[in-house]
Amino acid sequence: MSMWETLGIEPTNDESAIKKAYRIKLRQHHPEDDPEGFKRVREAYEKVLAFLKEGGSVDDGEQDAADANRPEHAGTDKESDTRGKDTPQQDEEAHPLVTECLQIFNDASTRLAPNVWEAWVEKSQLLPIDEQEIISNAVVNVVAARHWIPGEIIDVLWKGLGWNLLLTGTEKQTEIGEYLDDWRQQALWIPMEDIADLSDAEQRATLSFLRPFSIAFGRAQTDAMHYLLRQPTVTNMIPKPAFMVSLLQAFIACRAYPESVTGLMLDTLADQSLEDLGVEQLQVVAEIALKLGRADAVQKVTERFIALEAYADAAETQYFNTLRRDSLLAVCFAYLQQQWAPLPLVYWRTERRLFPAPEEEHDARLFDWVHGQLTGRDIPTINHRLDFAGTEGLNALLIQAFWGAHSGSYAWMSSLKAQLHAALAQRKERASDEDREIFALHLTVKWIEQALSMQPGCDTLRLKLAKYETDAFLDTEALTLEEVSSLSKEEWLECVRRHPLISDVWFRQLEEAAILVTDEIRERSVYPAYSDSLCFYRSVNPDYVMSSSYGGARFDGVFDWMLFFYSHLGRRGADKRLILDVIQPLPEHQQQGPLAQLLPFAQYANTYLPDALEGLDAFPEQFVFRMIVDNQVGLLTRTFEQGALMTMAKEGDIAAIMALSRLLRQEHFDEAVVFWNLVAAAIHRRPHFVAVVDWQQQRLMELREEKKLDKEFYEYSNPEFLHAMLTNNREWFTSPAELAENSPSDEAKMFHYPMCNLLTQLHLGLDDKGYDLSPLKALVDCRKGQTALQQEATDIAVTQLDAMYQRHLDNDLVEKGRGIPMFSRGKLKWLVCLFAFAWFMVFFATLQKFDFTPEDKNIEIAVGVLMAMVFAIHTSLVWQVSRPMLSNSNKKKYAIYATLTVLAAMFVKSSFLAMVNLIAHFFSASGLSKLYVNGMWEKKVVKRKRVNLRAVLGFKDPKTKTRDAPSTILTENTKEDDHGQS
């Protein structure tokens, strides 16, 4: 390639065109990025200059053109020597460009002008390489003697003089190159033009201070900065924003705040230069203003942050400005900062100090929720819009907006936006209002506007959702295909989280579109909890209708009542009495419906209400009541002693029994399993206990595994069989008759084995045949060998079994009345006695041996008739006694035995066998059930209309009477006027 082609121009005699082409090529082949290309361009340029200097011309013909294209080595050695003699060595210091360099350095008006240095560098680049090396070496010595030269100037010289080549030279050259490379990267804090107008001495003094201070600051060498700051002043105060901000930044790094100096700079910046500062510089000014307690400067900086849309910095500044004055407002600013510039959550737990929550209850709830957001926890002090009942003031409005943007409906967000604008306009008109409140409103408006701007969906869907929070939303039409497809699955899930009270039609449409999937809903856990739970329960109860909560009878304010109703699926929140004060009163026609069932629990949140709890059973489809039941059981567990719970459980209180299971599960696992079974067996009549039963079952199974009580199979005869009874699946249970066929081990016979039989009866319920109660008598016979807790568990379990029989009796009395099937043990005993007497009366005739003559034919016939009558009466007696027998095998055994003995007695004429027969009748009648068997009740039980299972089993103490529970049972730490939350 010829020298002209290398330069990219046609052969020409115009030196200016040649230099221009050379400069262009230098930009394309910078010595630092492409040293080889730079070398080629430089050699081509020198050849062209040498060609023109020797008198060559592109117009002289082909020979000159050939000479111009001839490579460098094509010349003779003689020519090379001659050319070398024509260019004598020049002294470094005498070179004109070195002299010019010194002049630039010595002139205060030029030394800091990058364009002057760039022009000087360009001149040096037009010289031969050997001259450039002379200049480069000389300039290295020049700058080495001037440590105050800014790194920006060194960077220009580095690039222009090719100092990067020093890094690949000798050891000494490499050392120099590394030093210069580090120097050029040490830029000043301030633009060089800010000190370009200073005098020579002022520039040198300023640079001598700034450069080492900049290096120390960049390397976080606070000791060095302190040293420099303690020295006599060697620089003047430069009234430039960048200089003052840089110096303030140094003070911050050193944690030294000389008030006279910092105050002067702060005043100057706040009054004249804030508009010239960027966000990072404003951050420095804000920190100094906060350190000095300069509220006026803090206000101006905050206003400037907002003007630059640096909302996170404005919020952070006001957070520190407010922290010691109003902890709730301060945490609001912290929340706003976190939305625009999120910090690691651990930062708010350790680095940023958040003062304790306010003492006032309502403010404390607001504080706790915001604090939870900052530390990564969804604290349920606020679960929905109505939970803001009882709160008022600016802070409450701000946190409503925060919560609305986080979890509220878009309709409510729009309403909050209007309230914020009104509050902001009102405060701006009043000069008495503090600036930080105005800033809080202004920033919150910006935040909620940003949140509203992100609402997805087509226009028609937005219009429908705009009716949310009002009764009109209940009349919203079904979704169109366009509306369903206008949101992604994740967007729909977020929409349902914000708008949980969507209609049943919408919910089923979203299920059909595979947006709401039961298994996925089951696995996820979102805030607010009531929204998550409502979505789950609606999914697993496809026949449930939302309007059933108000019985389908609409009334004004029904939407708020629905929100109040379904929000009970979540925990905590505001005192429900406060909510009842702000929503419309419940109409008269709703006083007996599901909504009204919640009123006692709202009015007496810390009170156990057994009667109200039973009233929930009238609405088994309302899954909301399951959470009420769990709350009541939790209340009992937390506030009642074990003895009090035992007393309530013995009186038949299901909730107290479940509380005992929770209370005892760690230390007394077996008894906890018994109590759980007692409640699990009652689910069919107390449907809303299903949730607490399921949750307790999971805890007990986990605990069983922790205690290593899991087995591959359990034997009926061992105590461990009780551990297997953690299921309410009726098909799993073995019938009590089959259980009775096993012989229990000694360890099991006193408590575990008969208790398993009792629990099985409860789970399976009382059928037409009834159960053999004799295995349960071991609970009485072995009572002395039981622990005190086992005895109490026995009493409670027997009470539950007694109640099962009592309910069955009551039902039969209502349905069958006087026609209720009965048997009487006493009557059968009398029949046995009558049969014995009757037989005794004709005993001689039936058992005496006679020798009849033909004349005694009539007597023989009479004796035969008597024997037939006795057998017939005997057969009737056998039938009467066998009817109340539970087991068919026992019936057969009894009937066969009695028949054989009576026949044998009559034919053998044995009075002994007759007595054996009568004894068999009597003891069989005496051993019949005293309660219920084969669909028949014992007559005395029907007459009394009361079951007394304890007497049947043989307990010596009188039966515990079922209590008439009071309408309320106050907890031990609750006052009637307490507004606390359970």
Side-chain angles (χ1 to χ4, degrees):
M1 181 180 292
S2 70
M3 58 185 180
W4 301 106
E5 291 173 342
T6 301
L7 292 176
I9 59 174
E10 296 294 330
T12 177
N13 293 326
D14 188 352
E15 287 192 23
S16 62
I18 294 171
K19 291 181 179 181
K20 181 178 180 181
Y22 174 58
R23 286 194 296 269
I24 292 174
K25 285 295 181 181
L26 283 182
R27 296 190 188 101
Q28 298 174 0
H29 303 280
H30 194 278
E32 191 170 348
D33 300 328
D34 183 12
E36 293 299 326
F38 168 75
K39 185 177 180 180
R40 290 195 304 271
V41 172
R42 181 66 192 178
E43 289 176 350
Y45 175 65
E46 290 182 359
K47 289 178 183 178
V48 170
L49 291 181
F51 170 71
L52 295 179
K53 185 176 181 180
E54 293 173 359
S57 174
V58 296
D59 298 327
D60 290 342
E62 294 179 0
Q63 183 61 42
D64 288 338
D67 292 339
N69 292 327
R70 185 171 58 197
E72 181 180 3
H73 62 269
T76 63
D77 293 338
K78 183 178 180 179
E79 290 173 341
S80 298
D81 292 341
T82 303
R83 199 164 45 247
K85 293 177 183 179
D86 292 342
T87 309
Q89 292 289 330
Q90 300 181 14
D91 183 35
E92 290 182 359
E93 296 182 359
H95 196 285
L97 282 184
V98 176
T99 302
E100 185 179 347
C101 174
L102 290 170
Q103 292 174 349
I104 296 174
F105 272 127
N106 293 330
D107 189 346
S109 62
T110 59
R111 66 163 65 103
L112 301 181
N115 59 328
V116 172
W117 286 108
E118 289 171 357
W120 179 87
V121 165
E122 189 172 331
K123 291 179 184 178
S124 68
Q125 290 174 343
L126 297 177
L127 297 175
I129 292 178
D130 54 353
E131 287 189 54
Q132 288 189 43
E133 292 177 355
I134 294 172
I135 295 170
S136 175
N137 294 333
V139 174
V140 166
N141 295 328
V142 171
V143 300
R146 294 166 173 79
H147 294 285
W148 45 266
I149 298 174
E152 291 90 337
I153 303 302
I154 301 299
D155 187 56
V156 174
L157 297 175
W158 172 277
K159 295 176 180 177
L161 297 178
W163 283 348
N164 63 303
L165 298 177
L166 293 171
L167 298 174
T168 58
T170 64
E171 181 178 353
K172 183 177 181 180
Q173 288 175 328
T174 300
E175 183 179 354
I176 295 173
E178 291 175 348
Y179 174 73
L180 294 172
D181 188 27
D182 180 62
W183 190 348
R184 74 187 182 96
Q185 298 179 52
Q186 297 169 0
L188 287 179
W189 283 346
I190 63 176
M192 289 187 296
E193 57 265 23
D194 283 357
I195 58 175
D197 296 335
L198 300 179
S199 66
D200 177 73
E202 290 175 329
Q203 278 188 5
R204 293 192 183 197
T206 300
L207 290 172
S208 296
F209 170 77
L210 283 181
R211 184 165 180 272
F213 206 91
S214 300
I215 295 172
F217 182 81
R219 296 174 179 174
Q221 297 172 339
T222 54
D223 292 341
M225 289 189 284
H226 273 295
Y227 173 80
L228 292 170
L229 289 174
R230 286 196 299 266
Q231 299 307 305
T233 303
V234 294
T235 182
N236 58 325
M237 179 66 68
I238 302 173
K240 297 291 185 178
F243 178 85
M244 290 185 284
V245 171
S246 299
L247 199 55
L248 291 176
Q249 192 173 8
F251 288 144
I252 292 172
C254 294
R255 297 182 181 180
Y257 308 97
E259 194 164 345
S260 58
V261 178
T262 55
L264 175 61
M265 290 189 289
L266 190 61
D267 289 336
T268 304
L269 289 170
D271 294 339
Q272 303 174 8
S273 307
L274 287 184
E275 293 184 358
D276 299 330
L277 300 181
V279 172
E280 293 183 358
Q281 294 172 314
L282 287 170
Q283 291 171 349
V284 176
V285 177
E287 186 167 351
I288 290 293
L290 289 167
K291 292 292 184 183
L292 298 182
R294 294 286 301 275
D296 56 334
V298 170
Q299 175 187 352
K300 292 180 180 179
V301 173
T302 305
E303 291 173 347
R304 188 58 190 156
F305 276 135
I306 294 176
L308 294 174
E309 298 184 356
Y311 302 128
D313 294 290
E316 182 181 31
T317 301
Q318 287 302 313
Y319 161 75
F320 286 111
N321 187 43
T322 311
L323 189 56
R324 298 187 180 277
R325 298 182 178 90
D326 186 340
S327 61
L328 186 53
L329 185 58
V331 83
C332 290
F333 281 119
Y335 179 87
L336 287 166
Q337 177 195 351
Q338 190 72 357
Q339 306 316 303
W340 281 301
L343 295 170
L345 298 179
V346 68
Y347 192 72
W348 293 103
R349 298 172 186 160
T350 58
E351 299 293 331
R352 286 289 174 92
R353 183 180 179 187
L354 298 173
F355 283 88
E359 295 182 0
E360 205 281 323
E361 179 184 350
H362 302 312
D363 288 346
R365 284 198 299 111
L366 301 178
F367 181 94
D368 287 345
W369 181 81
V370 182
H371 184 271
Q373 294 301 305
L374 292 173
T375 55
R377 297 173 295 164
D378 288 319
I379 299 178
T381 54
I382 301 172
N383 294 313
H384 50 84
R385 169 174 54 87
L386 297 178
D387 272 343
F388 286 96
T391 62
E392 56 184 13
L394 173 66
N395 293 333
L397 177 59
L398 296 176
I399 297 177
Q400 283 186 62
F402 299 159
W403 193 92
H406 183 274
S407 296
S409 67
Y410 289 105
W412 192 43
M413 290 167 62
S414 298
S415 173
L416 289 170
K417 174 186 171 183
Q419 295 179 50
L420 289 167
H421 275 293
L424 182 59
Q426 186 179 29
R427 277 170 169 74
K428 285 182 176 179
E429 292 176 358
R430 297 199 305 252
S432 60
D433 287 325
E434 296 189 14
D435 296 322
R436 59 177 180 269
E437 295 183 351
I438 295 177
F439 290 138
L441 283 167
H442 193 100
L443 293 172
T444 304
V445 166
K446 293 296 183 183
W447 170 241
I448 203 167
E449 285 177 347
Q450 288 184 16
L452 278 169
S453 67
M454 294 186 289
Q455 179 181 1
C458 60
D459 293 340
T460 56
L461 178 60
R462 292 187 179 190
L463 289 174
K464 289 179 178 179
L465 290 175
K467 298 178 182 179
Y468 197 82
E469 311 289 356
T470 68
D471 296 349
F473 184 73
L474 303 180
D475 297 323
T476 306
E477 297 178 352
L479 294 168
T480 64
L481 181 60
E482 178 188 3
E483 290 167 349
V484 173
S485 59
S486 67
L487 298 182
S488 66
K489 181 173 181 176
E490 291 301 319
E491 289 172 336
W492 264 119
L493 292 175
E494 174 66 8
C495 182
V496 173
R497 185 183 75 87
R498 290 177 174 272
H499 308 83
L501 302 186
I502 59 174
S503 67
D504 298 312
V505 175
W506 282 30
F507 196 89
R508 302 309 165 197
Q509 285 182 292
L510 296 179
E511 285 187 319
E512 292 174 1
I515 292 171
L516 297 176
V517 181
T518 302
D519 290 340
E520 296 176 0
I521 296 173
R522 189 189 305 272
E523 294 298 325
R524 70 174 188 164
S525 179
V526 300
Y527 171 86
Y530 90 93
S531 176
D532 187 25
S533 298
L534 177 58
C535 190
F536 168 74
Y537 281 116
R538 294 179 75 179
S539 180
V540 297
N541 296 279
D543 297 328
Y544 182 76
V545 179
M546 290 280 285
S547 60
S548 66
S549 61
Y550 56 89
R554 295 271 294 275
F555 58 93
D556 291 341
V558 65
F559 187 91
D560 282 349
W561 274 98
M562 288 180 66
L563 179 56
F564 171 76
F565 183 81
Y566 290 109
S567 66
H568 279 75
L569 290 170
R571 298 188 183 275
R572 297 181 65 179
D575 188 327
K576 299 299 188 291
R577 284 179 291 185
L578 296 174
I579 298 176
L580 292 176
D581 289 340
V582 299
I583 60 178
Q584 298 186 40
L586 196 63
E588 184 65 29
H589 69 271
Q590 293 288 333
Q591 293 300 323
Q592 302 302 319
L595 295 177
Q597 299 300 316
L598 292 182
L599 296 180
F601 302 100
Q603 293 166 348
Y604 304 98
N606 282 341
T607 304
Y608 176 52
L609 307 171
D611 284 355
L613 206 59
E614 290 187 11
L616 303 180
D617 296 332
F619 305 95
E621 77 285 354
Q622 299 299 335
F623 44 75
V624 171
F625 295 156
R626 300 173 188 178
M627 187 60 67
I628 300 296
V629 170
D630 184 65
N631 290 338
Q632 289 277 286
V633 173
L635 180 65
L636 289 175
T637 307
R638 294 191 303 272
T639 57
F640 279 82
E641 297 293 336
Q642 180 177 325
L645 291 175
M646 286 291 183
T647 301
M648 297 166 63
K650 290 175 184 178
E651 295 173 351
D653 194 312
I654 295 294
I657 296 174
M658 179 54 74
L660 284 170
S661 181
R662 290 186 180 182
L663 195 65
L664 299 172
R665 65 174 181 258
Q666 288 290 344
E667 301 298 329
H668 303 281
F669 182 75
D670 288 8
E671 288 78 6
V673 172
V674 170
F675 291 134
W676 177 86
N677 274 275
L678 296 178
V679 182
I683 287 179
H684 66 282
R685 59 186 178 85
R686 303 298 300 276
H688 296 304
F689 276 83
V690 64
V692 295
V693 166
D694 288 346
W695 296 333
Q696 180 67 358
Q697 179 188 30
Q698 294 172 14
R699 298 187 188 103
L700 289 174
M701 294 179 73
E702 292 171 358
L703 190 57
R704 183 177 67 183
E705 185 176 354
E706 290 176 11
K707 291 178 175 291
K708 298 182 179 179
L709 299 176
D710 275 326
K711 294 181 178 296
E712 293 183 5
F713 60 89
Y714 299 84
E715 296 182 6
Y716 299 129
S717 58
N718 292 331
E720 292 82 3
F721 182 71
L722 182 63
H723 304 153
M725 299 188 71
L726 283 175
T727 177
N728 53 7
N729 180 7
R730 296 183 63 182
E731 297 180 358
W732 178 87
F733 289 91
T734 303
S735 69
E738 292 183 40
L739 281 177
E741 296 175 359
N742 296 272
S743 298
S745 64
D746 292 339
E747 294 178 350
K749 66 172 57 174
M750 287 189 295
F751 176 75
H752 293 81
Y753 180 77
M755 183 57 67
C756 289
N757 189 296
L758 187 153
L759 297 176
T760 299
Q761 293 186 33
L762 284 173
H763 278 284
L764 296 179
L766 187 58
D767 58 12
D768 290 337
K769 290 186 67 64
Y771 300 113
D772 182 9
L773 298 179
S774 59
L776 303 186
K777 292 184 179 181
L779 294 172
V780 182
D781 300 337
C782 301
R783 190 171 179 84
K784 292 184 178 180
Q786 298 172 359
T787 65
L789 185 57
Q790 287 175 342
Q791 292 176 5
E792 290 186 301
T794 297
D795 293 338
I796 295 170
V798 170
T799 299
Q800 290 301 304
L801 190 62
D802 181 284
M804 182 183 77
Y805 278 96
Q806 186 65 52
R807 287 189 297 273
H808 200 86
L809 173 62
D810 293 341
N811 185 65
D812 282 353
L813 288 172
V814 171
E815 293 183 356
K816 301 174 183 178
R818 295 183 179 180
I820 185 172
M822 293 181 291
F823 71 94
S824 173
R825 293 171 68 252
K827 178 182 177 181
L828 292 175
K829 290 179 183 179
W830 277 108
L831 287 176
V832 172
C833 293
L834 288 174
F835 172 70
F837 178 75
W839 199 7
F840 177 77
M841 292 297 293
V842 296
F843 193 76
F844 180 79
T846 58
L847 298 180
Q848 182 66 35
K849 296 181 179 180
F850 293 100
D851 293 327
F852 293 103
T853 62
E855 291 81 9
D856 298 330
K857 188 68 175 178
N858 292 333
I859 297 176
E860 183 180 0
I861 293 173
V863 171
V865 170
L866 285 175
M867 293 179 65
M869 290 178 61
V870 169
F871 184 77
I873 295 172
H874 179 273
T875 302
S876 175
L877 177 62
V878 170
W879 179 76
Q880 291 284 351
V881 174
S882 64
R883 281 180 62 208
M885 290 185 177
L886 178 63
S887 170
N888 289 330
S889 63
N890 289 339
K891 287 183 180 182
K892 292 178 180 179
K893 290 177 182 178
Y894 163 68
I896 294 172
Y897 183 79
T899 302
L900 290 177
T901 55
V902 73
L903 290 175
M906 287 189 294
F907 283 101
V908 178
K909 309 300 182 179
S910 173
S911 58
F912 173 77
L913 291 176
M915 290 302 297
V916 170
N917 177 267
L918 292 175
I919 292 173
H921 287 308
F922 186 82
F923 280 101
S924 295
S926 298
L928 294 175
S929 172
K930 298 179 181 180
L931 198 59
Y932 175 86
V933 68
N934 291 331
M936 297 182 294
W937 291 95
E938 214 283 332
K939 187 175 182 179
K940 290 181 180 180
V941 175
V942 176
K943 185 177 181 179
R944 290 193 305 262
K945 297 182 181 180
R946 178 67 64 185
V947 173
N948 192 344
L949 186 60
R950 293 183 67 84
V952 170
L953 295 179
F955 284 92
K956 294 180 180 180
D957 53 332
K959 175 191 171 186
T960 303
K961 295 182 180 179
T962 303
R963 67 176 172 85
D964 294 329
S967 59
T968 62
I969 298 180
L970 297 179
T971 60
E972 298 174 3
N973 61 349
T974 305
K975 295 182 180 179
E976 189 172 348
D977 58 347
D978 181 23
H979 286 257
Q981 192 67 19
S982 64

